[in-house]
Amino acid sequence: MSRAFVKEDADSEDVVVTHRAPLPAGVPNLVTPAGLAALEAERDAKLAALEDLKAGEVTGEATRRLAALEEELLLLLERLASAKVSPPPDDRKLAGLGATVRVRYLGGPQSGQTSELSLVGVDEADPLEGRVAFVAPVAQALMGRREGEVVTFEAGENTLTVELESVEYPA
């Protein structure tokens, strides 16, 4: 989080801006077509909110929200400028960005369980919803693999082994 500067005549409270999930150094900002559309929709919503705030009454709260929105918009525009849509591989049996995969855990604390994971861009990721960023260890282990392959990867302090049961892409 970062604190944006506000005008001195505004209330003395700081503005808190939530930053986007970082991309590792040197890693391109790969996104799915749906991820790019979501970023563009977020930009449009922030621009509309910014215009509404500018047209409204000038209060300390409005000034703080305006400063936060402006900083959030700058971060979003940077992410949009670097976004690179990654098409699915020609071989749709290979796991890649945009794929939804089903894995069976063969080792570790989840042994015997299955999970369905969607491999997505960093801004699209929501592990609680099964959307895993392509830079995550499990995604890195699965990308480029075929159904039936077994992969092992480190997740925190655990070494996990999974079998890739299925790979599907949106129509």
Side-chain angles (χ1 to χ4, degrees):
M1 298 232 201
S2 120
R3 296 178 354 194
F5 294 100
V6 295
K7 294 180 181 176
E8 288 186 21
D9 60 349
D11 289 346
S12 62
E13 294 180 39
D14 292 329
V15 175
V16 179
V17 176
T18 303
H19 285 273
R20 308 193 80 74
L23 279 165
V27 173
N29 181 21
L30 301 178
V31 297
T32 65
L36 180 61
L39 287 171
E40 290 170 339
E42 182 183 351
R43 176 202 57 210
D44 295 345
K46 285 191 185 305
L47 286 169
L50 202 59
E51 291 307 311
D52 289 346
L53 274 172
K54 287 180 178 179
E57 182 182 346
V58 178
T59 65
E61 177 60 28
T63 302
R64 282 190 300 281
R65 185 65 191 132
L66 186 62
L69 262 174
E70 287 173 341
E71 187 168 336
E72 289 170 3
L73 185 59
L74 283 174
L75 295 170
L76 175 58
L77 292 174
E78 287 175 7
R79 193 57 66 94
L80 262 168
S82 68
K84 179 180 176 191
V85 175
S86 179
D90 291 335
D91 183 348
R92 296 283 182 119
K93 299 287 185 185
L94 291 176
L97 194 71
T100 297
V101 299
R102 184 175 179 86
V103 297
R104 176 173 303 282
Y105 292 87
L106 303 176
Q110 297 171 297
S111 188
Q113 296 178 17
T114 59
S115 289
E116 193 169 277
L117 307 170
S118 295
L119 309 178
V120 297
V122 170
D123 289 300
E124 301 168 78
D126 184 347
L128 296 177
E129 296 292 325
R131 293 189 309 267
V132 181
F134 72 96
V135 294
V138 65
Q140 289 292 296
L142 292 169
M143 291 181 66
R145 304 295 184 152
R146 294 183 177 285
E147 293 176 9
E149 286 193 55
V150 174
V151 297
T152 300
F153 60 96
E154 300 296 321
E157 296 180 10
N158 296 313
T159 299
L160 302 176
T161 302
V162 299
E163 178 182 1
L164 181 55
E165 290 188 335
S166 67
V167 177
E168 294 180 15
Y169 287 90

